[in-house]
Amino acid sequence: MRLTTKGRYAVTAMLDLAMHQGGGPTALADIARRQGISLSYLEQLFARLRKRGLVTSVRGPGGGYNLAREAAAIHVAEVIGAVDENLDTTRCARQGNCQDGHPCLTHDLWLDLSDRIYDYLSNVSLQDLMDRKGLAAEVGCRAYKRDLAVERGRAGHTPVRA
């Protein structure tokens, strides 16, 4: 199994959205800027996330995205699955035909690992990630420093590093 950037970016973007929930819809451009993810890539991911019922969209000025449910009710495995990411560590897509039509010697090992990964990610919610020690404060501090640097740059001051 290899979790690609698609799955990683989807989880990162959903966590960013969860952290900014409550201030109205969040524009994808804001997530793209904060997380360093291409806006066009986020648009593709959020189309899939919306289709799977994990986010809702608001059109027009001031529009953007909101979580469709509370952060505690959205789990990492759902997010990864919504963008068609595969958590299977077997070479045979769980079919048991990995070696000349039969299970290889280590098939059960990789099958068990896949199940454990899925179980783990199914038990980690966006809220759990936000509650981890200092995450919200750290991200908020970085965003404040970045915004301060931008404002100082506009006012003719020397920008500070974030």
Side-chain angles (χ1 to χ4, degrees):
M1 179 210 78
R2 179 166 143 40
L3 186 59
T4 66
T5 55
K6 186 181 354 177
R8 290 178 190 276
Y9 283 175
V11 172
T12 298
M14 287 291 286
L15 184 56
D16 184 289
L17 184 62
M19 293 181 71
H20 293 91
Q21 199 68 3
T26 301
L28 290 184
D30 293 337
I31 296 173
R33 177 183 48 81
R34 285 189 295 258
Q35 300 307 323
I37 303 171
S38 156
L39 178 58
S40 62
Y41 200 70
L42 280 177
E43 288 168 345
Q44 294 172 29
L45 293 176
F46 271 73
R48 292 177 179 192
L49 294 166
R50 187 174 49 80
K51 197 177 283 187
R52 292 294 276 277
L54 296 176
V55 297
T56 58
S57 61
V58 177
R59 294 182 179 262
Y65 287 87
N66 290 307
L67 295 178
R69 304 188 307 258
E70 295 293 321
I74 298 176
H75 295 87
V76 173
E78 286 181 274
V79 175
I80 292 170
V83 296
D84 299 327
E85 197 65 15
N86 188 348
L87 296 174
D88 184 14
T89 59
T90 65
R91 291 186 312 176
C92 61
R94 299 175 151 296
Q95 299 302 308
N97 58 0
C98 19
Q99 190 172 38
D100 299 324
H102 300 285
C104 66
L105 291 175
T106 56
H107 177 78
D108 290 338
L109 170 69
W110 305 126
L111 192 61
D112 289 347
L113 178 60
S114 296
D115 292 342
R116 286 183 187 230
I117 291 169
Y118 182 81
D119 289 345
Y120 173 73
L121 295 177
S122 292
N123 286 299
V124 178
S125 72
L126 296 177
Q127 187 65 53
D128 293 333
L129 295 174
M130 289 191 301
D131 291 344
R132 296 226 168 144
K133 183 180 176 185
L135 178 63
E138 176 187 332
V139 171
C141 182
R142 274 188 289 171
Y144 172 76
K145 286 180 181 178
R146 186 173 32 250
D147 292 345
L148 182 61
V150 168
E151 288 303 314
R152 285 185 176 167
R154 285 186 192 145
H157 298 287
T158 304
V160 294
R161 287 186 175 230

